[in-house]
Amino acid sequence: MIWLTWRQHRPQILLTAAFLAALGLLLLGSAVEARLYLADHAPPGCPGAATACGDFAAGLAERYDAVYSIFGWMPLVLPALVGAFWGAPLLGREYERGTHRLAWTQSVPPWRWLAVKLAVLGGAVVAGGLVLSLMVSLWRPVFRDGIDSAFGNIGVFNMVGVAPAAWWLYAFALGTLAGAVFRRTLPAMALVVAGVAATMFTLFALSDRYAEPVRAELAGSVVLDDPDARLVRTAWVKPSGGEVAGPASMVCPRRVDTGRSGRNTDAWHACLFGEGYRFAVYYHPPARFWRFQWTEAAILVTASVAFGGLAARRVLRRAGG
């Protein structure tokens, strides 16, 4: 059965392996080139707080904008592709072609036929996600200033750790269930793409609730010292102690062009701090990275097991009928 599974699904396996190899070469090439560029062009003392360092970081981001763009789409696109081209055809294509009838009349019982397919392909999907995570984790330090933190940036968060493997497995299981329900490949592919997108945006919205955020009050600054923290929300604290979304306009009038001028914004902040206001920041510290990783992975793996169980139940019921 393992050999048969390989023969039937080797196009997906080989194409995914080729994609990961090509992506690895792209990341390796960009990292080596960036290292050489940084060694030759980085101003003395950078990275740092100097104005020259900020200008250089902005130029570096513009120089590698294409690499950043590819990276920015991967957290959503790759799981959707896995679900569409690994999960959806697993059962949908069997039903379309009628080959499931032949498979179920052989010496191998239907439950074993399905279990081997789910185990082999599910394991391959998890391995592919972990390989992707490893490559990105090795590549990220070169572009640290351009891509933000692995915890504060949710897109990066879903490309490192165990998250890619969990998302790939979830998409694969969702595609398998869709193929079992629709018994056709194209509708199953459409459903899995929509389902992965909906799930991802839902977890984006819920992820801040994986733990109670830490609250910090800042006086004299509106910037948290830790750039790796995941911000949840902010508020102004009145001298009396109550929180407000924004101070009353009569406290410190804002100029119309405040939003376009950092200097004017700084002056407005300084005025508020001078009036006794403080800035409250609710955030998750970077130490919670793995707690959030395992929480999200547990949600996705649980859903994957449920989807796989529903697909198996539907298949075996048809086989028994």
Side-chain angles (χ1 to χ4, degrees), residues 81-317:
L81 290 177
V82 168
F85 292 100
W86 282 65
L90 177 61
L91 295 174
R93 188 168 54 191
E94 294 278 358
Y95 284 123
E96 280 182 334
R97 297 178 177 178
T99 52
H100 65 290
R101 299 187 183 92
L102 176 62
W104 295 345
T105 57
Q106 304 302 308
S107 58
V108 177
W111 66 265
R112 184 180 175 188
W113 172 83
L114 182 60
V116 171
K117 280 180 172 288
L118 291 177
V120 172
L121 297 180
V125 162
V126 169
L130 292 177
V131 169
L132 174 67
S133 172
L134 177 62
M135 292 193 303
V136 172
S137 298
L138 294 175
W139 170 79
R140 275 197 65 257
V142 180
F143 296 88
R144 172 64 179 79
D145 294 333
I147 307 182
D148 300 326
S149 77
F151 186 50
N153 187 311
I154 298 181
V156 179
F157 177 81
N158 282 328
M159 293 295 292
V160 294
V162 296
W167 274 108
W168 284 31
L169 180 63
Y170 172 82
F172 169 72
L174 178 60
T176 302
L177 176 59
V181 171
F182 289 111
R183 305 183 70 185
R184 296 183 60 191
T185 303
L186 288 180
M189 294 172 72
L191 177 64
V192 74
V193 171
V196 167
T199 304
M200 187 161 289
F201 286 115
T202 299
L203 290 185
F204 280 0
L206 295 178
S207 60
D208 287 336
R209 302 185 181 183
Y210 292 167
E212 187 69 22
V214 175
R215 183 181 184 275
E217 283 193 9
L218 309 179
S221 173
V222 296
V223 179
L224 198 64
D225 290 337
D226 193 343
D228 289 332
R230 178 180 292 192
L231 296 179
V232 178
R233 65 182 181 90
T234 60
W236 284 96
V237 182
K238 298 187 294 185
S240 60
E243 289 188 1
V244 292
S249 59
M250 70 282 295
V251 177
C252 290
R254 300 186 68 175
R255 291 178 52 178
V256 176
D257 61 346
T258 295
R260 298 192 299 271
S261 172
R263 184 176 300 175
N264 291 332
T265 302
D266 292 341
W268 182 64
H269 291 161
C271 175
L272 290 172
F273 289 129
E275 294 292 332
Y277 279 81
R278 300 179 303 281
F279 194 68
V281 179
Y282 292 83
Y283 70 98
H284 295 292
R288 294 179 178 177
F289 172 82
W290 282 109
R291 177 178 177 177
F292 276 52
Q293 280 274 326
W294 289 115
T295 299
E296 187 157 298
I299 294 172
L300 295 170
V301 170
T302 300
S304 301
V305 172
F307 291 160
L310 290 173
R313 180 180 179 183
R314 192 172 184 87
V315 169
L316 296 178
R317 179 179 294 180

Side-chain angles (χ1 to χ4, degrees), residues 17-53:
F19 170 80
L20 289 174
L23 180 61
L25 291 175
L26 172 64
L27 296 180
L28 177 62
S30 65
V32 171
E33 196 275 338
R35 286 287 189 190
L36 296 175
Y37 182 82
L38 288 170
D40 294 338
H41 297 86
C46 294
T51 303
C53 294

Side-chain angles (χ1 to χ4, degrees), residues 34 57-75 139-140 142-148:
L60 194 66
E62 183 177 355
R63 177 182 177 84
Y64 297 106
D65 181 68
V67 178
Y68 297 158
S69 297
I70 294 173
F71 184 88
W73 281 103
M74 285 197 296
W139 170 79
R140 275 197 65 257
V142 180
F143 296 88
R144 172 64 179 79
D145 294 333
I147 307 182
D148 300 326

